[in-house]
Amino acid sequence: MQIKSININNLRNHSSSSVEFSPKLNIIYGENGSGKTTILEAISICGFTKSFLPTSEQNMIKFGEENFSIFLTSKNYLQNDYFVNIIYSAKNRKQIKSTFGDNLTPKDIIGELPQVILSPDFKIITFGSPQDRRSFIDRILSQLSKVYYENLQKIKKILKQRNELLSNSYDGYDETTLEILTDFLVKTSVEIITKRAEFIKELVPIYKQYYEFVSSNKENVEINYLVSNKNIDFSIISDKIKLEQFIRAEFARLKTAELRRGTTLFGPQKDDIEFIINSGTAKEIASQGQHKSILISLKFAELEILKNEKAETPIMLLDDIFSELDEIRSQKVFELIDKLDTQAFITTTETNYLKNVISQYKLVSYFKVSDGAIFTEM
Amino acid sequence: MIYTSESIQKAINSLSSLPTIGKKTAQRLVFFLLKQDKEYVSNFANSLVELKDKVNFCSKCFNFTEVDPCPICTSTKRDLSIICVVEEPNDVFAIEKTGDYRGLYHVLHGSINPLDGISAKDIKITELISRLTNIQEVILALNPSVEGEVTTQYLAKIIKPLSIKVTRIARGLPIGSNLEYVDEATISRAIDGRIEIL
Ligand SMILES: [Zn+2]
């Protein structure tokens, strides 16, 4: 995938910005608060309908304006043009248009502009909560499968209804309705868990290779998928019939507790992914440098899987990561970008250091961002 | 904005209380009405009052009607052995427009939705069950939302033991679409709902 150009209107501090990109390396530099990350956010909105930063759309509209809009043009590996146009105003629903039509829903565009994002904020994948790790995996699988994305939306609704029923159960509740909601929850959970488990299985060997390349040390790394905090044998979680039996048994076992506590106590909304380094979890024993190596390896493994599955090389967004990386790791990141032949968008506050690291690469464009305006360096 | 007439303000407030009508549209509608002659406006107002005076629910199918039971329930040309269950009166209009369905209807007036405090006893399920003598088939035509699905399963669970055939409407591919361009979630649902060729 290759982004050709983007127009950004009234997004954060950008009034009206318009840029054409290099097919390879795009270095976007400027001071903190200049609006350089906003360009990456705009690309992310065109791919996911949402920014990769946790923020409400309302807060992204430029102060005093009524809406923001983004128009992005790209071409895929078959040289077919693909455009996305997103308009968000506080009053109306988000309007999504693309080459595929007007009045689209998020489902219609998610996965059409495959992208991998590497941001220091994503250290939450190893440091943060199980929720953060689930978001990481859900974001990838949503790009890979619309069925998965729909199941995620569906399970959220089922859980809301089921939790509501359970939380009022002391007043009496309808047993048949609970049975049906539990049945829906079991079936949707099976779909989500098997997909996640299969993905982790595919991810691990690729991740290990990248980890070995990125880190100078030879630690042994591993990733486990935990079903409600338990490491369940892959032969169960990859077999839909066995998994369904297992989950049904769990709900039967937990029924009294669920009614007493008034909430759902089992399901993929409680699962976690465990990053192992040598013999402990990364969260507990990894050094700062090891955390960075894990994150970088994970993101390149993500890119490779998306590339294999979609026959399309995702673009890569790197948000201010080089200020936190030593020169060896920085060089390795660029070697990988070059080897995987991905179009990269890199934000940084300082360019001299990068210019050294990437002196041997061709097709590099520099963009200076200042007060929400973009200047292309000639 | 402050209007020079309290009546204008009141009319704008009434119109903008309608779904999908904002203040600006309401204002435009009010100025339009002011330009019309008196007869037009009285007819318009009367039609709204009549709506509430004359239209009621059919005591059998719970669709809107002016005569009870409604013309569909009393028709001699319809198949009295089939009932199609829908969530809202709107859905009856949608199916009637096709002209293909010749059975009866039953409007539930909602779906099971714990979040909105609506349980099975709050919609017209008991009324449906009491209509099922001499019925051979119940078609469930509820929305494909989680709430619609829960209600569909609920009805199937209580109607099947009565030895009545229960079917649901198919959710498949849009006519005229090319398989290659339909998203995989839709295709996957269509495969789930596949039917045997007899
Ligand atoms: Zn009737």
Side-chain angles (χ1 to χ4, degrees):
Chain A
M1 209 73 196
Q2 188 193 316
I3 300 179
K4 295 194 287 189
S5 69
I6 195 164
N7 284 292
I8 302 169
N9 289 294
N10 299 330
L11 186 66
R12 299 206 192 267
N13 64 349
H14 289 256
S15 302
S16 176
S17 298
S18 181
V19 216
E20 280 180 22
F21 291 116
S22 155
K24 294 290 295 183
L25 292 180
N26 294 280
I27 314 289
I28 302 161
Y29 65 97
E31 286 165 18
N32 286 325
S34 60
K36 55 188 190 308
T37 300
T38 308
I39 300 169
L40 303 192
E41 284 189 281
I43 296 173
S44 152
I45 292 171
C46 291
F48 296 103
T49 74
K50 282 196 285 213
S51 169
F52 61 93
L53 297 174
T55 169
S56 78
E57 271 105 1
Q58 181 62 56
N59 291 333
M60 297 183 72
I61 303 176
K62 188 172 198 275
F63 186 75
E65 297 294 336
E66 287 200 337
N67 58 50
F68 70 71
S69 68
I70 307 163
F71 185 82
L72 175 147
T73 64
S74 65
K75 64 175 183 194
N76 69 10
Y77 76 108
L78 297 167
Q79 304 299 312
N80 291 327
D81 288 321
Y82 173 71
F83 79 84
V84 189
N85 181 205
I86 310 258
I87 303 169
Y88 176 83
S89 74
K91 282 189 210 114
N92 299 320
R93 230 160 42 90
K94 206 180 295 174
Q95 280 174 268
I96 306 171
K97 291 178 199 168
S98 86
T99 311
F100 302 138
D102 297 347
N103 295 321
L104 302 177
T105 61
K107 184 191 81 181
D108 299 317
I109 67 162
I110 289 174
E112 300 299 337
L113 188 72
Q115 49 188 273
V116 172
I117 303 159
L118 186 47
S119 148
D121 288 0
F122 288 164
K123 44 175 174 265
I124 52 172
I125 295 172
T126 49
F127 275 114
S129 66
Q131 161 83 58
D132 296 320
R133 285 182 282 280
R134 288 192 301 269
S135 307
F136 156 71
I137 193 170
D138 286 344
R139 215 173 154 106
I140 303 170
L141 287 171
S142 295
Q143 292 193 74
L144 285 175
S145 158
K146 289 189 202 296
V147 178
Y148 185 82
Y149 178 78
E150 278 203 344
N151 279 329
L152 278 184
Q153 306 306 313
K154 190 173 166 191
I155 205 164
K156 278 185 208 156
K157 289 182 194 147
I158 297 171
L159 282 168
K160 267 193 198 160
Q161 293 287 12
R162 193 171 184 273
N163 287 339
E164 185 67 28
L165 196 69
L166 288 170
S167 74
N168 292 319
S169 60
Y170 56 86
D171 260 354
Y173 67 98
D174 188 89
E175 184 67 45
T176 314
T177 307
L178 181 61
E179 265 171 37
I180 294 167
L181 282 167
T182 307
D183 184 59
F184 283 8
L185 186 56
V186 170
K187 285 178 180 148
T188 320
S189 298
V190 167
E191 296 302 320
I192 292 173
I193 294 172
T194 46
K195 203 86 186 173
R196 285 181 181 166
E198 279 164 16
F199 170 75
I200 296 290
K201 194 174 186 212
E202 193 187 342
L203 179 78
V204 169
I206 304 172
Y207 161 74
K208 283 181 169 178
Q209 275 175 26
Y210 284 115
Y211 189 87
E212 205 179 312
F213 176 76
V214 173
S215 73
S216 337
N217 299 317
K218 297 279 171 279
E219 299 95 2
N220 185 32
V221 288
E222 199 59 61
I223 306 174
N224 297 319
Y225 187 75
L226 304 182
V227 176
S228 281
N229 259 319
K230 273 176 256 164
N231 202 340
I232 292 175
D233 198 74
F234 187 77
S235 67
I236 294 174
I237 47 176
S238 58
D239 180 326
K240 287 188 182 179
I241 293 166
K242 282 186 194 158
L243 183 62
E244 186 172 330
Q245 284 169 351
F246 172 77
I247 297 177
R248 279 194 200 284
E250 283 297 296
F251 278 116
R253 184 175 69 80
L254 290 165
K255 187 170 177 189
T256 335
E258 285 194 320
L259 286 167
R260 195 178 60 237
R261 303 256 301 269
T263 188
T264 300
L265 297 175
F266 185 85
Q269 77 285 358
K270 302 218 170 273
D271 292 354
D272 198 357
I273 302 148
E274 190 178 49
F275 290 93
I276 301 287
I277 181 158
N278 291 331
S279 54
T281 63
K283 197 171 176 173
E284 281 159 8
I285 66 162
S287 68
Q288 292 287 337
Q290 286 167 336
H291 275 287
K292 285 171 194 166
S293 299
I294 288 175
L295 187 56
I296 293 168
S297 320
L298 205 52
K299 286 290 165 175
F300 280 100
E302 176 184 338
L303 189 126
E304 191 172 319
I305 288 183
L306 283 171
K307 185 177 179 169
N308 291 344
E309 300 271 332
K310 298 192 87 83
E312 179 77 68
T313 309
I315 56 161
M316 196 148 199
L317 308 177
L318 301 108
D319 185 26
D320 204 12
I321 61 155
F322 294 102
S323 56
E324 299 204 4
L325 294 185
D326 54 49
E327 198 173 328
I328 297 173
R329 281 199 186 85
S330 298
Q331 268 165 359
K332 296 206 159 165
V333 167
F334 280 104
E335 271 176 54
L336 288 174
I337 290 173
D338 190 52
K339 199 180 111 201
L340 289 158
D341 199 22
T342 165
Q343 186 188 24
F345 300 83
I346 295 153
T347 62
T348 180
T349 43
E350 202 263 330
T351 48
N352 288 337
Y353 165 72
L354 275 189
K355 277 183 177 161
N356 273 332
V357 180
I358 59 176
S359 54
Q360 78 269 35
Y361 295 108
K362 292 193 183 72
L363 295 170
V364 186
S365 289
Y366 287 88
F367 305 94
K368 182 178 162 60
V369 183
S370 163
D371 270 340
I374 310 174
F375 305 93
T376 308
E377 197 175 287
M378 294 294 163
Chain B
M1 173 134 17
I2 295 160
Y3 296 98
T4 48
S5 145
E6 203 183 313
S7 306
I8 292 182
Q9 183 67 64
K10 266 167 73 182
I12 290 177
N13 290 347
S14 305
L15 287 169
S16 63
S17 71
L18 296 170
T20 76
I21 309 267
K23 281 263 187 261
K24 258 189 191 157
T25 313
Q27 187 183 314
R28 224 180 300 141
L29 293 172
V30 167
F31 291 141
F32 170 82
L33 288 169
L34 280 171
K35 279 187 199 150
Q36 311 307 309
D37 57 28
K38 185 141 189 199
E39 200 193 345
Y40 177 93
V41 181
S42 348
N43 284 343
F44 188 94
N46 283 336
S47 71
L48 295 180
V49 176
E50 260 184 44
L51 204 59
K52 252 337 228 188
D53 281 347
K54 293 195 176 162
V55 180
N56 273 302
F57 294 130
C58 169
S59 58
K60 286 189 163 178
C61 70
F62 295 92
N63 193 8
F64 291 127
T65 180
E66 291 194 17
V67 284
D68 189 20
C70 76
I72 293 180
C73 287
T74 50
S75 167
T76 50
K77 295 193 175 115
R78 305 200 63 121
D79 183 343
L80 304 180
S81 69
I82 303 180
I83 291 187
C84 176
V85 182
V86 295
E87 286 180 26
E88 300 294 341
N90 269 341
D91 304 328
V92 174
F93 286 112
I95 298 172
E96 278 301 284
K97 263 197 310 204
T98 67
D100 287 338
Y101 175 69
R102 300 308 297 159
L104 302 173
Y105 289 97
H106 188 85
V107 183
L108 292 173
H109 289 276
S111 51
I112 298 172
N113 188 334
L115 275 175
D116 288 348
I118 301 170
S119 69
K121 61 182 190 305
D122 300 316
I123 55 177
K124 308 285 179 203
I125 292 181
T126 329
E127 291 82 350
L128 170 66
I129 304 307
S130 69
R131 289 179 71 190
L132 295 181
T133 29
N134 301 325
I135 296 293
Q136 277 159 24
E137 180 177 355
V138 174
I139 303 173
L140 302 172
L142 309 186
N143 292 321
S145 58
V146 166
E147 296 75 30
E149 294 280 315
V150 170
T151 314
T152 298
Q153 292 301 328
Y154 192 99
L155 292 172
K157 270 194 182 196
I158 52 176
I159 299 171
K160 272 188 183 167
L162 309 173
S163 305
I164 297 167
K165 184 174 170 192
V166 182
T167 54
R168 63 181 299 165
I169 52 167
R171 298 162 303 162
L173 306 171
I175 295 291
S177 57
N178 196 327
L179 206 55
E180 164 180 20
Y181 297 115
V182 177
D183 74 69
E184 66 261 33
T186 307
I187 294 179
S188 147
R189 266 196 306 272
I191 289 176
D192 280 345
R194 68 189 179 274
I195 48 174
E196 192 178 349
I197 297 174
L198 299 169

